[in-house]
Amino acid sequence: MAEFAANPLTVTLTAPGEPYYRADLEFHGVDHSKASFEGRLFLNNPDAGPGTPTDDDSYAGSFWIFGHGGCAGDEGHCEPAAERRAFDFRPEYQLTAVSKRVMITGKLQALVQQEKSVRLTGWVEDIRPFVARGSICIVPLRIGGGTRLKIFEAMAMSKAVVSTSLGAEGLPVQADENILLADTPNDFAESVVSLLRDPSERKRLGASARALVQEKYSWPKVAESFARTLQDVLTRPTPPATPG
Amino acid sequence: MQLEDLHNQVHVWVGGTMSEIPLAAFDPVFWAHHTMIDRLWALWQLAHPGVGVGSVPLNHPLGPFPTLTVAHTLSTTALGYDYAAATSSATPA
């Protein structure tokens, strides 16, 4: 069975003025001439793909196409005899694309309810599920210090990162190569929006970020570097004792 | 969920010849599946008396039976058959 991911579809929704009891997403011009398939819908999840499970929060439903299976048959079936066989009563017809409708009422209502742009989770046992659900990671740091490990954690998870220069201070990152750096609110917002609109760039940045972490900061690499430092300390000549 | 989608889903889920329109009827399970779909449609009609079928081309001929149109197939009793749950008070299986 083949799997593929369609390009994300931008749908602009205008909140209705009155309460609604049903919301459908309609697809028109769906081709049913080839193999049968299931079309799965994920809302507000541009990274959704064939492997995204249907118990993901963003899953909104499916439509199913029972297809004509393309071309199949004995040799010469694509070149039927000029004359139709006498017992073939089937009328001629042309396949027309179909329309499909998926009810997304519950999911849409949930999305509208979640219009808050910032959600505070409080303490979590493991940040990885939260990082994994995000399309990108942002570090809008304007003051403060620290070892910036959270950027490395996000990079290790192949996430594209947008940070201020201060946020990435001391890290051997390269702007536009494995991270986006922006220091003004406008530049920061533009970087975030551009990444949200460009899945291939997010993927490239994320892959490059992970490659950096794997090359320099994986456990084996860090252990090796630490061992070398310890060895260096051990082999250094002991300074003479100070008389006194 | 629309009945057509439920119908499509089973064809795709079973797979093999059932997943292709030109070949599906060669699979014996096709007939049981379509009987169930027809039964669901009949039960829905019983539960929603008088409700129309929307934008369906009722006068569309159903080849290779040139005397039959879509309108002729809307009622099981008019076609000479029925389902047990439709005529008894027993709970449908």
Side-chain angles (χ1 to χ4, degrees):
Chain A
M1 180 174 65
E3 294 179 330
F4 65 93
N7 289 326
L9 186 66
T10 301
V11 178
T12 304
L13 296 171
T14 305
E18 299 168 354
Y20 59 95
Y21 68 90
R22 177 166 166 171
D24 291 354
L25 205 55
E26 290 190 358
F27 295 82
H28 299 282
V30 183
D31 181 10
H32 60 118
S33 65
K34 300 183 181 58
S36 300
F37 64 90
E38 176 193 8
R40 290 182 182 170
L41 312 186
F42 296 89
L43 300 184
N44 271 18
N45 185 354
D47 290 328
T52 308
T54 55
D55 58 2
D56 189 279
D57 282 346
S58 62
Y59 174 68
S62 294
F63 64 82
W64 297 77
I65 291 293
F66 180 30
H68 289 260
C71 209
D74 292 334
E75 185 179 340
H77 68 272
C78 284
E79 299 155 3
E83 289 181 19
R84 293 181 62 151
R85 288 171 286 189
F87 55 81
D88 190 346
F89 298 125
R90 294 172 300 170
E92 295 281 347
Y93 70 95
Q94 297 294 325
L95 275 184
T96 55
V98 297
S99 294
K100 282 292 172 185
R101 178 189 298 170
V102 180
M103 278 194 289
I104 60 167
T105 318
K107 283 294 172 185
L108 183 62
Q109 286 169 338
L111 269 181
V112 170
Q113 297 255 334
Q114 288 172 18
E115 279 217 320
K116 294 179 188 153
S117 54
V118 177
R119 189 163 43 147
L120 298 180
T121 62
W123 169 262
V124 295
E125 285 296 325
D126 186 350
I127 67 165
R128 285 174 296 179
F130 297 89
V131 174
R133 277 210 296 267
S135 298
I136 60 175
C137 276
I138 63 170
V139 185
L141 202 66
R142 297 177 77 179
I143 56 171
T147 49
R148 316 299 193 248
L149 282 179
K150 290 196 177 38
I151 287 185
F152 277 163
E153 285 170 346
M155 285 180 156
M157 293 180 71
S158 302
K159 286 294 168 184
V161 177
V162 180
S163 173
T164 57
S165 303
L166 180 66
E169 192 177 45
L171 300 185
V173 293
Q174 285 173 280
D176 300 329
E177 173 64 31
N178 44 43
I179 196 170
L180 290 192
L181 297 178
D183 292 320
T184 68
N186 268 358
D187 287 348
F188 202 95
E190 267 182 30
S191 298
V192 170
V193 171
S194 75
L195 275 185
L196 289 175
R197 285 179 175 159
D198 192 345
S200 61
E201 178 61 10
R202 283 204 306 273
K203 207 173 217 180
R204 183 198 70 79
L205 215 55
S208 183
R210 178 165 167 86
L212 169 71
V213 169
Q214 276 186 309
E215 186 194 335
K216 293 186 186 312
Y217 298 100
S218 65
W219 280 115
K221 289 285 183 184
V222 169
E224 189 187 317
S225 171
F226 189 57
R228 267 203 309 271
T229 303
L230 288 177
Q231 189 64 29
D232 179 56
V233 167
L234 285 173
T235 53
R236 248 182 237 167
T238 311
T242 312
Chain B
M1 176 182 275
Q2 292 179 302
L3 185 58
E4 183 187 359
D5 243 29
L6 187 61
H7 153 266
N8 290 355
Q9 193 169 341
V10 172
H11 273 278
V12 178
W13 175 67
V14 171
T17 47
M18 267 285 276
S19 69
E20 293 188 37
I21 287 178
L23 306 174
F26 289 99
D27 189 326
V29 81
F30 173 95
W31 303 97
H33 169 48
H34 271 262
T35 300
M36 177 53 86
I37 294 296
D38 186 65
R39 177 174 174 270
L40 288 174
W41 169 232
L43 291 176
W44 184 90
Q45 287 177 305
L46 276 181
H48 303 85
V51 177
V53 292
S55 57
V56 169
L58 292 173
N59 295 325
H60 190 81
L62 295 174
F65 310 104
T67 59
L68 272 184
T69 65
V70 171
H72 291 118
T73 65
L74 293 182
S75 164
T76 60
T77 50
L79 288 169
Y81 70 97
D82 214 335
Y83 291 101
T87 53
S88 75
S89 57
T91 307

